[in-house]
């Protein structure tokens, strides 16, 4: 298996309270060092709650945001310049809000033309042919090409967004909550389309979502993010069935499931740690029933103790 | 709160410096020789050179700026050659008159404008709304100087309700009633445009707020409609109205220049226009810097008011 | 473009402005060709000729010059100067604003500091200073007015640009390999252009006024040339003796500026998409009711605390009618929790809001049916009656707790208000009650938190406050409109548990609106499934989740992945839900249903009982009565 994507110690800090001159007042570590390999043809699910840094991570992977530290290697080639035009040929992005990802003042054809013209320098007849191919692949009629984005429903617009990502001929797609804005009956259509396209074009997916059930249904492996750090990584079928990190267990227990009685997995009201003033040890320690002194002092690293599931925890649950 | 005021005051310093640079540069751009303007065209070149030296005009631009700035800090704005008195004295006296006029108009436009806007929004598409909307349209379309002239014609000349012009009676006591008598027309004429703008904005701010979710929440609680409008909606709308009041204060101050001319009000606007026509550069420079600085301070007050209203602004 | 003109034409006032402006502009353009007297030739013996005199329709001025001729030439000049100033200011201001907003960071910082300095001057001071530097003259006045307006445009356009530059389509363009210059020209500019046009059309009037003002002061056009402002300025000395010399140019300015303002408002309305959808209407205190004449309410059921009978709510937008709720029958017994489930646009929220008349009106309207609270019909009840029940007997919890709490009042003030608008209790007592309520929803440090503002609380805490507010007057029914949709899954679990405990402790009836079967399963006793404004199936949660009877319910459940199901292909429902302004005959789901036949597309399909506790709106349900 070849590697599609290799991340080494990828980090992103955001300055807070910028001044005209001089250093900022504080720094938020939006993404703590992430080291991760994604194999070609794999679907890696990235799951986490709001503010966990999943979108920041995704934007770094396509060059929209320069990493503070760390390296990105795509298909064996290091890409660190944060130049989206260079990334764009190899890795593309499908946005959460399908309508706001399409310029309201351009026709669909103009939108589809952009990557073909600018990334691949294709001439008009070649573009026409290629767009026809892609539209057939995503089940969209060619007559849509001369319309404007507002004429489409969310599901159709998301297909157009996927078509645009495919047009760039990138083989890795970052799917950032691609179905969260869609109605449940349309979600399944798009998820199935994504699965078909993956087989047809041999794509690699990074599927970012907050929806545990969706991520479980589509992924080979799942990475769980909490407070900017990777806390658990393992095969999709094991992650929520037999979580090792207490946070993953909390997530899995919180999801409303038909046939399970309602119970608050957390007894007390807890809040996320303050990003401006992060705790010294494990960021989950304050909410964790298994936390000890060590957890509050030391940051655990992500490691696989031979079970096939890696967890960043000093006291992992039995998987 | 004092911390916030202090912070705002400190952040005003670069703006004030910027203002002084802009004014100084504009004035330095003036073609021709101030000395010639002062001495008249019959002056000998020797006289001109001498005066230039006295005024410090033979020094480089940057040096001249810092000399001017340091004088400015000490309250020395120079001397008006035309009036032959210190610029600061003249400016303070004139600004006092402008403040009375513009301040009254500002209060009028804020109170009337907000009230009209709220009523208009609360009765959207009703008769009151239509009447207010039409009045507002008329108000923002009429040149204030033309309105002032028409008011003189109707209320002073024909009806003789108010004096035609000036700030004080030529003969007679200078008491508050005499002032009000002279102030009413110019203050009204000056406030009309700003009232229109404030009313318009208040109406749309109220309409914007009234469809927010928290208004629906208040209704779902069973809050009385009157309280919804005046307590919930107006308070939230004030967040977008107050900055506009700050801008309108600048417009009122600007409009005062015209109104002072129409009503012969001895304010700073009249002074500036006369000074420009007479090329009394130091007087123009001093007047502009002084008024601009006052306006900056006023905007700090606006910001403080805004922070008192909106807890989301970090104090 | 033609759509824009059509919208403009529909606005009668704007049309009037357009016509007046058109006439003025045409006359101004034709002025050199018209047989007018020379505007600058003085004829002192004929000074102050009154209007309607022989040879001088509008009379003459203090130098005996023909006023009509001067008016026409002056108008020409004023218009030209005003438009030129507006164009210069808009172009430069927009360019600065776009660059500043697009690049952000230091570029933005430096440009905006400079703009701040310029805006720190009261408008005219800067103009006066510029005129003082350049010397009086019309051209210089134009430059001054344009320069003074540039910062206003720059700041306005910058704000809009920042919003657009952060839109996802700009990221997409970057990923499509577009350069910055191309992004500015093809992605940003087309989206900013309407704003520039709006800003320009609403400020042209100002520019004309301002240049006229400078001329009025003698700083603009210099004699003998005259624009409207200097005509007024010259006439001022003769105001009392010969007012016509002032009135003529003054009225002309008024007409021009008013026409431009009307037109500008029309342009703004036509280009602003929010106004198109009627979003800037003020919602009335209660939803309008327009039931058909002769409507007689059915007899209410004695047991239900809340009963909807044939409820219909519509939205009238333009010529379209959206039948958001198309006849809903639903009952809630005391202490019962009923789930109302559906996709977006199914009418579930509108149903919930219709109950207490909270649907925004206009454009919403209740067009049929009844809502019984303990047997009394609330539809069409007097406002005061409705108000006294809102929050006291029937309370609401809404979706987004940040948007639904007033941002400028403390949590405590809002709770106190909830108590005091129904009960005349002293403030201190209400405050104590507020703290008690916060404790009841398990907010730690309630006594401190009561003085917090909503933005100081986390999403979960805010929703607890929302629940506390609903509990303030011990209501019998709580209507919860997707109260956990905006929350993270771990917080959702806490909120759901809290709601469940509260309802058991206090015997509350809950109508719970959601799109999530998992939530319904955990919280509700009964569930009703909505599709295209109608209930397609209802019954106990256990029955329906175990064996859905309506094909829509069945397929909807199948296409939602469920945790623990493992990796799999989902059974998607083809097609889209119908838009409720154009509903088909018969079953609204027929087009997406694999069992549909001709009979499904005819008439109205009734919600028929299926067994003792269930109802289903299908002529061929998934399970027959015998097995139900």
């Amino acid at each position: 298996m070849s590697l599609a994507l290799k991340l080494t110690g990828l980090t992103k800090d955001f300055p807070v309270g910028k001044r005209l001159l001089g250093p900022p007042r504080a720094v938020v570590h939006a993404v703590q060092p992430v080291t991760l390999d994604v194999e070609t043809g794999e679907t890696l699910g990235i799951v986490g709650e709001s503010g966990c840094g999943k979108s920041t991570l995704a934007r770094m992977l396509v060059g929209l945001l320069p990493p503070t530290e760390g390296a990105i290697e795509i298909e064996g080639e290091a890409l660190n310049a944060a130049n989206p035009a260079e990334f764009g040929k190899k890795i593309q992005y499908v946005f959460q809000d399908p309508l706001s990802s399409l310029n309201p003042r351009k026709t669909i054809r103009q939108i589809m033309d952009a990557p073909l013209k600018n990334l691949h320098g294709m001439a008009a007849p070649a573009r026409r042919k290629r767009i026809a191919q892609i539209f057939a692949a995503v089940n969209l009629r060619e007559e849509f090409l001369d319309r404007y984005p507002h004429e489409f429903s969310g599901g159709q617009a998301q297909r157009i967004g996927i078509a645009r990502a495919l047009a760039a001929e990138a083989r890795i797609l970052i799917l950032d909550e691609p179905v969260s804005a869609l109605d449940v009956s349309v979600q399944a259509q798009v998820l199935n389309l994504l699965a078909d396209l993956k087989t047809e074009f041999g794509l690699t997916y990074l599927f970012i979502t907050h929806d545990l059930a969706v991520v479980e249904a589509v992924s080979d492996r799942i990475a769980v993010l909490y407070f900017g750090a990777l806390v658990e990584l393992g095969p999709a079928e094991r992650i929520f069935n037999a979580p090792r990190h207490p946070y993953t267990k909390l997530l899995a227990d919180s999801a409303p499931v038909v046939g399970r009685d309602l119970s608050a997995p957390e007894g007390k009201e807890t809040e996320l740690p303050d990003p401006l003033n992060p705790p010294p040890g494990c960021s989950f320690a304050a909410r964790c029933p298994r936390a000890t002194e060590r957890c509050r002092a030391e940051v655990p690293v992500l490691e696989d103790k031979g079970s096939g599931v890696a967890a960043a925890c000093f006291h992992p649950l039995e998987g | 709160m004092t911390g916030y005021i202090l912070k705002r005051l400190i952040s005003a310093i670069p703006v004030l410096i910027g203002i002084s640079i802009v004014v100084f540069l504009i004035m330095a751009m003036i073609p021709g020789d101030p000395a010639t303007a002062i001495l008249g065209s019959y002056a000998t070149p020797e006289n001109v050179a001498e005066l230039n030296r006295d005024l410090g005009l033979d020094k480089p631009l940057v040096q001249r700026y810092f000399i001017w700035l340091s004088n400015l800090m000490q309250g020395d704005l120079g001397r008006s050659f035309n009036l032959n008195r210190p610029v600061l004295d003249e400016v303070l006296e004139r600004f006092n008159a402008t403040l009375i006029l513009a301040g009254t108009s500002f209060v009028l436009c804020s109170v009337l404008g907000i009230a009209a806007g709220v009523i208009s929004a609360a009765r959207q598409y009703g008769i009151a709304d239509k009447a207010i909307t039409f009045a507002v349209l008329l108000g923002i379309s009429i040149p204030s100087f033309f309105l002032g002239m028409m008011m003189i014609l109707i209320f002073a000349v024909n009806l003789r309700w108010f004096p035609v012009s000036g700030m004080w009676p030529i003969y007679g006591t200078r008491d508050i009633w005499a002032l009000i008598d002279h102030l009413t027309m110019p203050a009204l004429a000056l406030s009309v445009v700003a009232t229109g703008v404030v009313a318009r904005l208040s109406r749309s701010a109220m309409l914007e707020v009234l469809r927010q979710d928290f208004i629906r929440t208040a209704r779902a609680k069973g809050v009385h409609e009157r309280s919804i409008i005046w307590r919930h909606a107006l308070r939230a709308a004030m967040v977008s109205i107050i900055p506009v009041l700050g801008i309108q204060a600048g417009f009122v101050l600007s409009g005062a220049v015209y109104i002072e001319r129409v009503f012969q009000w001895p304010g700073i606007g009249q002074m500036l226009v006369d000074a420009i026509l007479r090329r009394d550069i130091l007087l123009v420079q001093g007047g502009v810097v002084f008024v601009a600085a006052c306006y900056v301070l006023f905007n700090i007050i606006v910001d403080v008011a805004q922070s008192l209203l909106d807890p989301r602004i970090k104090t | 473009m033609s759509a824009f003109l059509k919208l403009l034409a529909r606005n009668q006032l704007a049309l009037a402005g357009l016509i007046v402006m058109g006439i003025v502009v045409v006359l101004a353009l034709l002025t050199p060709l018209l047989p007018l007297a020379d505007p600058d030739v003085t004829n002192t013996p004929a000074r102050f000729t009154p209007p309607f005199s022989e040879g001088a329709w509008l009379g003459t001025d203090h130098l005996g010059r023909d006023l009509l001729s001067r008016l026409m030439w002056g108008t020409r000049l004023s218009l030209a100067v005003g438009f030129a100033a507006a164009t210069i200011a808009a172009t430069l201001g927009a360019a600065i604003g776009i660059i500043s907003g697009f690049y952000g960071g230091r570029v933005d910082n430096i440009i905006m500091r400079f703009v701040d300095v310029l805006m720190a001057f009261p408008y005219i001071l800067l103009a006066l200073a510029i005129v003082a530097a350049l010397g009086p003259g019309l051209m210089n006045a134009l430059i001054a007015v344009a320069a003074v307006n540039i910062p206003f445009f720059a700041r306005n356009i910058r704000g809009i640009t920042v919003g657009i530059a952060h839109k996802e389509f700009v990221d997409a363009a970057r990923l499509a390999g577009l350069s910055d210059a191309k992004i500015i020209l093809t992605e940003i500019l087309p989206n900013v252009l309407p704003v520039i046009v709006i800003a320009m059309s609403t400020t042209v009037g100002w520019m004309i006024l301002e240049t006229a003002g400078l001329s009025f002061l003698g700083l603009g056009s210099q004699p003998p040339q005259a624009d409207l402002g200097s005509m007024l300025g010259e006439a001022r000395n003769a105001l009392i003796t010969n007012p016509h010399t002032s009135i003529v140019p003054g009225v002309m300015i008024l007409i021009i500026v008013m026409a431009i303002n009307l037109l500008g408002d029309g342009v703004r309305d036509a280009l602003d998409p929010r106004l198109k959808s009627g979003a800037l209407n003020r919602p009335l205190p209660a939803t309008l009711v327009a039931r058909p004449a002769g409507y007689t309410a059915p007899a209410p059921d004695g047991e239900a605390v809340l009963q909807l009978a044939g409820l219909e709510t519509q939205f009238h937008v333009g010529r379209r009618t959206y039948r958001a709720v198309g006849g809903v029958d639903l009952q809630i017994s005391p202490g019962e929790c009923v789930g109302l489930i559906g996709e977006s646009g199914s009418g579930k929220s509108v149903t919930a809001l219709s109950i207490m008349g909270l649907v925004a009106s206009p454009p919403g309207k209740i067009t049929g049916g009844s809502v019984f609270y303990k047997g009394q019909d609330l539809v069409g009840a007097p406002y005061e009656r409705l108000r006294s029940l809102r929050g006291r007997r029937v309370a609401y919890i809404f979706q987004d707790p940040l948007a639904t709490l007033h941002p400028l009042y403390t949590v405590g003030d809002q709770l106190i208000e909830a108590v005091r608008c129904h009960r005349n209790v002293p403030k201190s007592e209400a405050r104590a009650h507020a703290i008690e309520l916060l404790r009841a929803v398990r907010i730690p440090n309630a006594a401190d938190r009561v003085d917090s503002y909503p933005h100081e609380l986390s999403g979960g805490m805010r929703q607890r406050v929302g629940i506390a507010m609903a509990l303030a007057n011990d209501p019998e029914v709580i209507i919860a409109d997707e109260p956990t949709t905006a929350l993270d899954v771990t917080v959702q679990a806490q909120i759901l548990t809290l709601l469940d405990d509260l309802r058991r402790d206090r015997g509350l009836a809950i109508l719970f609106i959601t799109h999530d079967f998992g939530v319904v399963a955990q919280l509700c006793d009964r569930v009703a499934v909505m599709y295209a404004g109608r209930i397609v199936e209802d019954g106990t949660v256990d029955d329906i989740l175990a064996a859905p009877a309506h094909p829509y319910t069945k397929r909807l459940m199948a296409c939602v992945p469920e945790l623990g199901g493992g990796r799999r292909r989902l059974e998607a429902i083809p097609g889209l839900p119908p838009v409720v302004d154009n509903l088909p005959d018969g079953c609204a789901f027929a087009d997406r249903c694999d069992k549909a036949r001709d009979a499904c597309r005819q008439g109205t399909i009734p919600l028929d009982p299926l067994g003792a506790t269930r109802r289903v709106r299908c002529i061929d349900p998934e399970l027959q009565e015998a097995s139900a």
Side-chain angles (χ1 to χ4, degrees), chain C residues 503-514:
Chain C
R503 98 172 165 99
R504 287 178 206 286
D505 293 349
R506 302 182 176 223
L508 283 168
I510 296 182
L511 178 62
F512 196 97
I513 292 51
T514 182

Side-chain angles (χ1 to χ4, degrees), chain A residues 20 49-50 59 92 97 100 103 105-106 118 164 183 185 189 192 196 216 220 256 260 266 269, chain C residues 168-169 171 175 178 182 187 190-191 343-344 461 464 488 490 494 564 567 569-570 573 575 592:
Chain A
L20 192 58
E49 296 182 279
S50 53
R59 291 171 60 82
Q92 277 287 341
D97 183 346
S100 89
N103 186 343
R105 308 214 168 251
K106 279 186 165 182
N118 294 290
R164 171 177 54 193
D183 253 321
S185 74
Q189 296 172 7
N192 287 341
D196 295 342
E216 191 191 54
D220 297 307
R260 187 163 74 195
E266 266 181 307
E269 169 70 23
Chain C
E168 292 173 332
F169 65 78
D171 283 341
L175 283 166
L178 265 63
K182 260 192 181 167
E187 307 284 329
N191 285 291
E343 298 179 80
S344 57
M461 285 296 182
R464 280 166 200 265
D488 275 327
T490 53
Q494 296 167 0
R567 195 179 165 146
R569 193 174 176 83
L570 303 163
I573 310 177
R592 306 173 76 186

Side-chain angles (χ1 to χ4, degrees), chain A residues 283-307:
Chain A
S283 46
F284 188 62
R287 298 172 72 180
C288 184
R290 303 166 76 89
T292 59
E293 279 314 304
R294 190 182 174 202
C295 301
R296 294 188 189 97
E298 232 182 285
V299 181
V301 293
L302 186 75
E303 57 183 345
D304 179 0
K305 289 178 179 151
S307 62

Side-chain angles (χ1 to χ4, degrees), chain C residues 68-414:
Chain C
L68 177 65
S69 169
R70 284 180 77 72
L71 181 74
M72 300 290 282
W73 285 95
T75 303
R76 194 175 146 87
L77 205 54
S78 282
L79 280 181
V81 170
F83 279 110
T87 312
I88 294 170
T91 312
L92 291 178
I96 294 171
I98 288 176
I99 287 171
S100 188
F102 179 74
Y103 286 101
R106 218 143 263 183
V107 176
D108 181 36
N109 226 322
I110 291 167
I111 291 180
M112 280 303 122
R113 289 288 160 102
F114 191 64
V115 165
D116 281 346
V117 168
L118 293 184
M119 287 184 78
F121 286 93
Y123 199 102
I124 202 163
L125 277 192
L126 203 56
L128 286 180
I130 293 171
V131 172
L134 302 178
L138 192 56
M139 210 52 201
N140 295 341
L142 188 160
I143 294 171
V145 169
V148 163
N149 277 290
I150 289 174
F152 287 87
F153 274 97
R155 177 172 287 188
N156 185 355
I157 299 300
R158 175 194 169 268
I160 305 291
T161 306
V162 168
I164 291 168
H166 286 98
K167 283 264 172 78
E168 292 173 332
F169 65 78
V170 175
D171 283 341
R174 284 210 173 88
L175 283 166
L178 265 63
S179 61
D180 280 359
K182 260 192 181 167
I183 290 179
I184 289 180
L185 286 177
T186 67
E187 307 284 329
I188 306 274
L189 191 60
N191 285 291
V192 177
L193 212 52
V195 184
I196 300 177
V197 172
I198 290 171
M200 229 182 106
S201 63
T202 45
T203 41
V204 171
W206 257 112
M207 305 267 189
I208 290 177
L209 277 183
E210 288 305 311
T211 38
L214 287 177
S215 290
F216 172 77
L217 295 174
L219 302 174
S221 75
Q222 299 297 310
Q225 188 194 44
D227 71 350
L228 295 172
S230 62
M231 282 176 75
L232 253 180
E234 286 168 8
R236 195 176 61 86
N237 292 329
L239 171 66
I240 294 167
T241 51
N242 288 288
H244 72 275
T245 51
S246 303
I247 293 175
V248 166
V251 168
M252 192 63 187
I253 299 178
L254 177 63
I255 289 172
I256 292 175
V257 176
M258 194 138 144
I260 290 179
N261 282 338
L262 283 172
L263 188 58
D265 288 354
V267 168
R268 187 197 59 205
D269 291 357
L271 288 178
D272 193 334
R274 277 184 325 163
L275 293 163
K276 248 186 257 176
S277 58
L280 269 188
N281 278 328
R282 163 211 201 291
L284 292 169
T287 311
L288 289 172
V289 175
R291 289 190 290 203
Y295 173 85
T296 42
D301 185 308
E303 268 173 50
V305 60
L306 208 57
Q307 182 192 359
L308 317 187
L311 182 68
E312 282 178 33
T313 305
Q314 302 181 345
F315 292 95
H316 297 259
V317 181
R319 251 171 270 163
R320 295 194 173 178
T321 300
Y322 295 86
R323 299 164 54 92
V325 180
V328 163
D329 299 295
L330 191 68
Q331 295 195 15
I332 301 160
S333 306
E336 185 185 34
C337 181
V338 177
L340 189 57
I341 198 166
E343 298 179 80
S344 57
S346 64
K348 57 189 192 303
S349 281
V350 180
T351 305
L353 292 173
S354 299
I355 294 173
M356 282 285 136
L358 290 173
V359 176
S361 188
K365 213 178 250 185
I366 296 177
T367 50
S370 299
V371 173
F372 296 106
Y373 164 74
K374 291 193 168 167
Q376 293 172 303
D377 194 352
L378 299 181
V379 175
Y383 165 70
E384 189 50 35
R385 167 93 190 124
L386 212 51
R387 188 201 66 75
S388 80
L389 288 174
R390 284 177 182 173
R392 190 167 61 89
R393 305 284 76 187
V394 181
Y396 279 86
I397 304 170
F398 295 107
Q399 179 175 343
D400 175 2
L402 183 59
T404 53
L405 293 175
H406 198 296
L408 308 181
Y409 288 108
T410 63
V411 162
D413 282 343
Q414 299 188 48

Side-chain angles (χ1 to χ4, degrees), chain C residues 3-15 276 318-319:
Chain C
F4 164 72
L5 289 177
K6 234 178 264 168
L7 270 168
L8 198 60
R10 201 177 299 157
N11 185 335
Q12 288 174 4
L13 286 174
L15 194 63
K276 248 186 257 176
R319 251 171 270 163

